[in-house]
Amino acid sequence: MKITTIIYLVLFSIVGAYAQTEKSVEGNVDNLPVREYTLTLREEQVNKAGKPVMGMTVNGQIPGPTLDFNEGEYVIIYVKNEMSVESSIHWHGMLLPNFYDGVPYLSTPPIEPGKTLKYEFAIKQNGTYWYHSHTMLQEQSGVFGSIVIQPKEKTLDYDMEQVLVLSDWTNEKPRDVMRFLKRGTEWYNIRKGTATPLNQVIARGALGAQVDFWRQRMESADIADIYYPAFLINGKENVEYPEFKPGEKIRLRIIDGSASTSFWMAFGGPDPLLVSADGKDVVPVKRNKTFIAVAETYDFIVTIPENGKLEFKIMAQDGSGSATAYLGQGPIVAAPDVSRPDKIAMMQQMAKMKMKMGAPALKFRPGKDERYQMKEKWGMQMDDNMQMEGMKEMDMGMMNED
Ligand SMILES: [Cu+2]
């Protein structure tokens, strides 16, 4: 080890230790109204996809409870770790003192088994957010939930609201999933029916593209790596909210709390209105099929139809599964179809761009600029025309938009 490296390491560990002990908080100095929550983390048996397995719950449920706040409050949250392993909670998207950000060993000490950590901070924003464990793979096991913050003044027009937390569930131990991924087999793709069989590849004239993929040690085209036996909305594959009445406008607060799945969302009923993204209000836009990536949040205002219950449907990006929520009562007012992605077409497009996998990481050598050389050797080869065409076709491969 070089002496400079050692100096850096020592410096970083001092700064790191300092950041974890210094709370940089004065407490509730502005005498804001206080709201308190307790979140208790436990290991217990849950059945989310056909068989009981060990999961990690927040207050006995997956997802955990919604934390309701008003902008301008001061919140105190006790996180009790009753699990046999250390844990943490990170408040995703929240503006708060670094000490309470909840990233163990970086901003906040881990919560040891049997211990409680008191988080406290002022609420300086409004919108839809979420929280999740930032320790190992605990988020995949169930340690996540929603945060809803009401604004000081309500500017949007709706009658009721409903949180919809999307997630993916595996019956395997998340650590085993990780180990399996590192082996690089296609078993998951075959099991979830998204592998691209060679006879189809040949029939579509895509063998060249396939060989190109293999040469670069990429598996055949697929979008997601993990097989999930279930995708969930608020912890269920099918969930009903019959309490909503025809004509009511409902603000849906949608959060993708998955470990690795992005979804296409689609709504039944008239003109869903997208009003907010990642907690921030946007210029409202009428929009139906919408893509939501891991950890994103979107708010839509929908109107409960007169003639039945509104279907809200999510489909995993790779087409391997879906989940549904119904709002209202009566016959189903179906969401528009989301077609499965055409992965062979996507593979052909990627091959045309001469994509090369396995470029080495740039070394830190300030005196020597290798960027252009690297780009020449490893970059995608696209002329402007192809770029446009390629992107258009890839879009079509992903989904047939309205
Ligand atoms: Cu996060």
Side-chain angles (χ1 to χ4, degrees):
M1 215 187 287
K2 268 195 266 173
I3 188 76
T4 44
T5 320
I6 294 170
I7 291 170
Y8 275 128
L9 275 177
V10 169
L11 268 176
F12 273 125
S13 54
I14 292 169
V15 171
Y18 180 72
Q20 279 185 47
T21 49
E22 193 251 352
K23 293 195 180 182
S24 68
V25 184
E26 321 83 67
N28 189 5
V29 285
D30 296 322
N31 263 321
L32 302 170
V34 175
R35 190 185 289 248
E36 263 188 40
Y37 278 102
T38 300
L39 300 179
T40 306
L41 312 181
R42 273 191 215 110
E43 290 152 312
E44 56 186 311
Q45 250 192 13
V46 293
N47 189 337
K48 294 289 181 188
K51 69 173 189 183
V53 294
M54 284 306 280
M56 293 176 171
T57 61
V58 187
N59 293 5
Q61 57 186 80
I62 298 175
T66 299
L67 302 181
D68 282 302
F69 301 133
N70 294 316
E71 192 174 354
E73 282 179 335
Y74 191 82
V75 304
I76 297 175
I77 309 165
Y78 296 96
V79 179
K80 270 174 90 171
N81 180 11
E82 295 188 354
M83 305 196 292
S84 60
V85 288
E86 67 174 54
S87 191
S88 59
I89 294 286
H90 165 66
W91 319 96
H92 191 112
M94 299 289 290
L95 308 169
L96 38 65
N98 187 51
F99 179 78
Y100 293 119
D101 198 40
V103 181
Y105 303 105
L106 186 67
S107 63
T108 317
I111 314 171
E112 300 295 339
K115 293 279 187 292
T116 299
L117 183 66
K118 180 185 179 188
Y119 292 82
E120 53 182 305
F121 45 88
I123 301 289
K124 299 178 171 175
Q125 65 203 114
N126 64 71
T128 305
Y129 303 91
W130 64 300
Y131 58 88
H132 60 83
S133 169
H134 217 293
T135 299
M136 304 303 283
L137 305 168
Q138 292 176 3
E139 197 259 333
Q140 175 82 86
S141 296
V143 185
F144 59 92
S146 47
I147 298 173
V148 170
I149 309 169
Q150 300 299 339
K152 283 185 174 148
E153 275 165 55
K154 189 179 167 196
T155 52
L156 292 164
D157 171 35
Y158 56 90
D159 304 305
M160 317 265 274
E161 38 184 275
Q162 177 65 51
V163 170
L164 300 171
V165 182
L166 322 182
S167 63
D168 44 22
W169 183 260
T170 172
N171 282 334
E172 295 171 57
K173 292 198 182 90
R175 218 180 47 199
D176 294 343
V177 172
M178 189 72 113
R179 200 175 298 142
F180 197 85
L181 288 177
K182 287 187 176 170
R183 268 191 259 147
T185 89
E186 295 199 14
W187 170 236
Y188 278 149
N189 309 12
I190 293 162
R191 194 151 148 214
K192 64 185 170 167
T194 60
T196 34
L198 197 56
N199 59 338
Q200 277 181 33
V201 171
I202 294 168
R204 298 270 303 269
L207 186 60
Q210 176 68 82
V211 170
D212 195 56
F213 264 48
W214 282 336
R215 235 188 33 224
Q216 301 183 57
R217 294 194 296 155
M218 282 197 283
E219 294 164 29
S220 59
D222 205 350
I223 292 169
D225 295 321
I226 301 173
Y227 161 73
Y228 287 107
F231 298 99
L232 310 172
I233 300 175
N234 290 349
K236 293 188 177 140
E237 288 183 85
N238 287 293
V239 60
E240 300 258 356
Y241 297 100
E243 61 270 29
F244 298 121
K245 304 274 174 291
E248 276 181 345
K249 287 184 176 178
I250 315 298
R251 177 179 187 163
L252 301 177
R253 296 177 179 270
I254 306 165
I255 300 156
D256 187 358
S258 295
S260 81
T261 308
S262 300
F263 296 97
W264 283 103
M265 311 184 281
F267 306 81
D271 294 338
L273 190 67
L274 171 58
V275 293
S276 181
D278 290 331
K280 290 266 166 258
D281 288 350
V282 296
V283 176
V285 53
K286 280 183 194 166
R287 193 183 160 78
N288 201 317
K289 294 177 196 170
T290 303
F291 187 72
I292 185 167
V294 172
E296 285 186 323
T297 78
Y298 283 106
D299 293 21
F300 280 84
I301 294 176
V302 296
T303 308
I304 304 300
E306 298 294 334
N307 56 337
K309 57 183 179 186
L310 184 150
E311 182 184 50
F312 168 72
K313 192 170 180 178
I314 55 168
M315 189 200 253
Q317 187 187 10
D318 66 355
S320 66
S322 61
T324 320
Y326 295 105
L327 294 95
Q329 292 182 42
I332 295 168
V333 178
D337 255 352
V338 178
S339 54
R340 296 184 102 196
D342 183 350
K343 278 167 292 197
I344 296 178
M346 286 166 61
M347 184 166 70
Q348 284 173 310
Q349 275 306 316
M350 282 164 77
K352 258 197 235 167
M353 292 177 206
K354 302 238 181 330
M355 207 160 84
K356 301 184 193 76
M357 287 292 156
L362 277 173
K363 291 216 176 83
F364 181 66
R365 276 186 292 206
K368 199 168 169 237
D369 188 355
E370 301 162 302
R371 286 173 300 163
Y372 298 100
Q373 233 177 303
M374 292 277 282
K375 183 167 179 280
E376 197 57 40
K377 189 162 177 216
W378 295 98
M380 282 192 248
Q381 312 296 314
M382 285 193 285
D383 55 45
D384 288 352
N385 224 339
M386 194 167 153
Q387 194 156 354
M388 294 308 296
E389 282 306 302
M391 290 304 155
K392 219 162 61 197
E393 279 177 49
M394 269 176 86
D395 263 2
M396 279 163 53
M398 306 284 258
M399 186 180 169
N400 302 319
E401 275 282 2
D402 292 353

